[in-house]
Amino acid sequence: MIDMRRLCCAAAVVAGVLVTPLAAIAQEKIRLGLLPFSESLAAVIADKQGFFKAEGLEVESSKFDSGALAVPVLQSGRLDIVLSSTVSTFQAIEQGLDAVVLAPGAIVRTAPPDTTTALIVKKGAIKSLKELEGKRIAVNVINSTAWLHAVALLEKHGVDRSKVRFTEVPFPQMNDPLLNGQLDAIVQVEPFRSALMATGNAEIVGWPYVETAPNTDITQYIALASWAQKNHATAAKFARAVSKGAQFAASNEAATREINQQFTNLNPALKDKVLLPRLGTAINLKEMNHTMEMMQKYGLLKTPVDLSRRVFTP
């Protein structure tokens, strides 16, 4: 007679061998929208260094030129999480997006230089910012976060912004028009700023973000509140992995520069020259509210947005 107890035990052992490995490699999938800039590095590093995998997450990433373009895709349900600029986040919530902030992205430094924008002119063109009245200044998008901080900087230095002629030019295309005299000043970011300064024909006359909003969150990872509530454990794992990515960047510069060069398609000659962003590990609600107040002041937000209940708690 067959010993049924031994047979059952053997079957259980075989089942364990077959099932356990599959369970161990099973991963939760996240559809993530990133910006094609170094501000996305915390998540990119989390992927490259296996921090997402260690949390049991499989992350599928897509790139968007701005948070304003990524947020509607999030709202449609085709993405689970997006990296958004603070300005885009506040505007989307004001317009009805039920979103929560999962984790910080990049943070403004308290002193220059910084990866955020610099106000640049041709060398020797002006002696004070007041001389920019009546001049042509390029920003990537009018009423964007770059525009907001540029306007705040000009006002801080006594410039009447109604006398400034803002024009829209994409970051990659700003440098040549400045150097050939088609523009009087540009609001430029890395890595294009480093390329411009390397010519020796330009000078930085102001740091809009650093001078008007030091320590503020520039970008953050957001999700729909309904998704975060339904997938609370997954959201917590994502936030934890992104924080590890930020910590890695702070202590592994060489590896971070390599990842940054690959992700942003940066000219290899600039890999070790460009400034890397300051990446956050905790959401700074106080400083985000400071940005909100600036937005109200300059007409980018009609009513206050209460973020106190929109910060994800793991």
Side-chain angles (χ1 to χ4, degrees):
M1 292 180 62
I2 298 175
D3 190 328
M4 295 302 295
R5 286 179 298 178
R6 290 183 180 179
L7 183 60
C8 289
C9 288
V13 170
V14 172
V17 170
L18 293 175
V19 174
T20 301
L22 295 177
I25 63 173
Q27 294 185 319
E28 301 164 65
K29 292 186 178 181
I30 290 178
R31 297 166 298 171
L32 174 65
L34 295 177
L35 304 180
F37 314 118
S38 56
E39 283 79 2
S40 297
L41 277 177
V44 177
I45 290 171
D47 183 37
K48 296 289 186 181
Q49 295 299 314
F51 300 145
F52 284 140
K53 185 176 182 180
E55 293 285 353
L57 299 179
E58 180 182 341
V59 178
E60 178 184 283
S61 299
S62 303
K63 290 183 182 180
F64 294 82
D65 288 338
S66 69
L69 295 175
V71 168
V73 184
L74 173 73
Q75 190 167 21
S76 72
R78 288 177 287 157
L79 289 173
D80 302 312
I81 301 171
V82 300
L83 181 65
S84 173
S85 71
T86 302
V87 167
S88 295
T89 296
F90 275 118
Q91 289 177 329
I93 292 174
E94 182 191 41
Q95 295 166 12
L97 183 73
D98 188 13
V100 293
V101 181
L102 299 181
I107 299 175
V108 180
R109 287 180 169 87
T110 57
D114 191 30
T115 51
T116 53
T117 58
L119 184 61
I120 306 177
V121 300
K122 287 185 70 174
K123 182 170 284 187
I126 64 171
K127 294 181 179 178
S128 72
L129 293 185
K130 187 70 174 176
E131 295 178 39
L132 288 176
E133 289 184 354
K135 305 295 185 180
R136 297 156 298 179
I137 301 179
V139 293
N140 63 324
V141 178
I142 293 174
N143 292 336
S144 66
T145 180
W147 174 90
L148 171 69
H149 292 279
V151 167
L153 174 70
L154 293 175
E155 183 177 271
K156 180 180 178 180
H157 288 269
V159 178
D160 183 348
R161 67 185 176 99
S162 68
K163 297 180 180 179
V164 172
R165 291 180 287 167
F166 282 105
T167 185
E168 295 184 349
V169 180
F171 290 128
Q173 299 170 21
M174 286 183 182
N175 293 350
D176 287 343
L178 175 70
L179 294 175
N180 64 31
Q182 292 176 282
L183 296 169
D184 299 297
I186 62 175
V187 180
Q188 186 60 289
V189 297
E190 287 285 28
F192 314 110
R193 182 177 72 232
S194 288
L196 175 59
M197 300 310 294
T199 68
N201 297 320
E203 62 181 327
I204 296 172
V205 294
W207 295 87
Y209 288 76
V210 175
E211 295 186 47
T212 65
N215 274 327
T216 196
D217 289 18
I218 312 164
T219 52
Q220 55 282 145
Y221 297 89
I222 65 173
L224 295 180
S226 57
W227 181 89
Q229 183 177 9
K230 181 179 179 181
N231 302 279
H232 188 274
T234 301
K237 292 175 182 178
F238 175 86
R240 197 158 49 236
V242 166
S243 180
K244 291 178 182 177
Q247 293 170 26
F248 179 92
S251 56
N252 296 273
E253 181 177 344
T256 300
R257 286 189 176 280
E258 188 70 32
I259 294 171
N260 180 57
Q261 190 272 323
Q262 295 172 3
F263 177 73
T264 62
N265 294 317
L266 179 67
N267 184 333
L270 296 175
K271 185 189 73 172
D272 296 323
K273 297 179 180 180
V274 298
L275 190 65
L276 294 173
R278 177 187 174 197
L279 300 175
T281 56
I283 297 164
N284 192 331
L285 188 58
K286 177 181 177 182
E287 295 302 334
M288 287 186 69
N289 284 334
H290 173 61
T291 300
M292 179 185 68
E293 292 167 1
M294 291 176 60
M295 292 175 65
Q296 288 184 272
K297 179 178 180 179
Y298 295 111
L300 299 189
L301 203 64
K302 295 178 181 178
T303 57
V305 172
D306 183 7
L307 277 184
S308 60
R309 296 184 180 181
R310 293 183 178 274
V311 176
F312 176 77
T313 302

